[in-house]
Amino acid sequence: MAPPSAPRAAEGGAPDAPAPAARPPRQRPQKKQRKGRSSPGAPAGAAAGGGPRRVLPLLIATIAALAVASTSAGVYAALTTDGSGHAAPSGGSRGDTPPSAGQGDPVKVVDEGQVAPLRRVVPPDVLAAEAGSISAAKIAKIAKLKRVRDVVAVAGGAVQLQGRQVNAFAVDPSSFRSWTPPGTAKRTDLWAALAADRFVVSPDAAKQLQLTQGYEYPVVGRTVPKLTMGGSGDLGLPGINMLVSKKSGTQMGLVPNVAVLVNAPGVSPAKVVTAVRKILGRGANVVNLHDAKYQSSGTGGKATSYLDLYKQAATSCPGLSWTVLAAIGQVESDHGRNAGRSSAGALGPMQFMPATWKSYGVDGDGDGKADIMNPYDAIPGAAKYLCANGAGRGGQQLYRAIWHYNHADWYVQKVLNLAKAYAARYS
């Protein structure tokens, strides 16, 4: 199960060790936390995307309303009204959506069908949808809510694929990949396919609709373009079975800014739901993605969230609690949100120095390489590093192992206090 937002002492949760006013310099060569690291967030995963028969009831009432029979042949067309009876534009301009509320540089779109590299992971906490376009003013209000760090608006609607209704989002692959589960976000092949105007579906949709990668299919919306299936992956959004490029979405008449995803670490998602619903009004469907009914721990033991990864990696070191790994992941990169190079040269979600990674890197996902930037590799690598320094023995040995991760007592205290907070929250 993917967790709710992580506990933070400053917000009245479990105690967290305060950092000193002047951060002491790090003494060890292995790692160094980057200056200006954002406040700790929550290791949150995403729910598994359902197949065409398993749409989310709350969302389907809104998203299915975007599809109406428009010809005697019974094809579907995306509704292009804003809810007031006025025609909405067939596609949104980049200026319709306010800048992200998140910290750090936004991911840039690379021209000529290429995709920007994965810089961070942004676990969605809330999904909201309307029957028409959400105004830029409302999106801006959501972005300004207290503790909201990231907001992304997407076009969407119901289309017909293989004679079945499918809920689709039209997205920018370079930026939207950050909002999907880690295993999907790291799959550059899927995002490159989207950038090339192919479509991507959830595994359930691919199976139930008998889709084959590389084959061309007519997708029925306001127009009927023939699109090639670029692959399948867990989309992490209940009721959403298909992703297309912005270009394809505009061509099919998907409604611009029909839905928003909200990331608000360190605050109860239920409170965010209430605040977003107040802004959007009664007609909107606002969903807490951390509700148990939307959670999945993957299939066949495959992790689909950072929480899963921490728990799986801890099993490689008997005696090591996953909560220690989660605490380190929070302090080091805010669970992948700040995984870029630090001022000392550390990289990845667990902030390894490349030289240290050569000794402790792990090929956690079995793809034949140990990738310092890949959470499926980096988190098991951190468990290996801690275990080599005695973390599995607990007590003073655990303290020393964390100290080896970063030679600072304040850092050890911060990690241990966060670990206790995770244990209290998820026990």
Side-chain angles (χ1 to χ4, degrees), residues 79-363:
L79 186 67
T80 55
T81 62
D82 60 8
S84 61
H86 301 295
S90 59
S93 66
R94 295 183 68 85
D96 290 339
T97 305
S100 166
Q103 300 181 10
D105 296 332
V107 176
K108 302 296 184 182
V109 178
V110 180
D111 293 333
E112 300 179 353
Q114 299 180 15
V115 181
L118 180 65
R119 302 293 188 190
R120 56 185 182 140
V121 173
V122 186
D125 298 310
V126 171
L127 170 62
E130 284 193 351
S133 295
I134 301 173
S135 70
K138 288 182 178 180
I139 297 171
K141 286 183 179 180
I142 293 173
K144 292 178 181 178
L145 288 172
K146 187 176 181 181
R147 305 279 168 75
V148 166
R149 179 175 296 172
D150 287 277
V151 174
V152 64
V154 295
V159 298
Q160 195 178 65
L161 178 63
Q162 293 285 77
R164 298 279 294 279
Q165 182 173 293
V166 175
N167 294 321
F169 276 172
V171 302
D172 178 333
S174 288
S175 56
F176 192 79
R177 67 187 300 184
S178 299
W179 292 84
T180 59
T184 303
K186 76 180 184 114
R187 288 187 55 189
T188 301
D189 62 309
L190 293 181
W191 307 105
L194 275 174
D197 295 320
R198 300 188 174 196
F199 69 87
V200 171
V201 293
S202 67
D204 284 345
K207 180 179 179 180
Q208 293 183 26
L209 299 180
Q210 298 183 346
L211 302 172
T212 302
Q213 185 172 342
Y215 279 67
E216 195 175 66
Y217 299 90
V219 182
V220 184
R222 190 176 61 186
T223 60
V224 190
K226 290 185 177 180
L227 302 179
T228 300
M229 180 187 170
S232 65
D234 179 13
L235 305 184
L237 299 171
I240 305 304
N241 322 116
M242 182 180 188
L243 298 180
V244 298
S245 68
K246 283 189 172 183
K247 178 182 175 181
S248 297
T250 299
Q251 184 180 5
M252 291 186 291
L254 298 187
V255 179
N257 295 352
V258 74
V260 291
L261 289 169
V262 183
N263 167 253
V267 64
S268 167
K271 293 183 179 179
V272 180
V273 166
T274 300
V276 171
R277 185 176 287 124
K278 184 176 181 180
I279 292 172
L280 297 182
R282 294 182 179 179
N285 288 323
V286 187
V287 175
N288 176 359
L289 294 175
H290 296 287
D291 280 350
K293 58 186 173 183
Y294 306 136
Q295 302 304 318
S296 169
S297 292
T299 58
K302 182 67 172 178
T304 60
S305 72
Y306 268 72
L307 178 63
D308 292 335
L309 290 171
Y310 295 133
K311 288 184 175 180
Q312 286 189 4
T315 63
S316 67
C317 181
L320 175 64
S321 171
W322 69 266
T323 62
V324 173
L325 288 172
I328 291 175
Q330 177 172 320
V331 175
E332 291 292 345
S333 74
D334 202 2
H335 311 299
R337 294 182 179 94
N338 286 321
R341 186 180 297 275
S342 73
S343 58
L347 288 168
M350 302 306 279
Q351 289 291 284
F352 273 95
M353 291 295 290
T356 307
W357 181 253
K358 289 182 179 180
S359 299
Y360 295 95
V362 172
D363 176 17

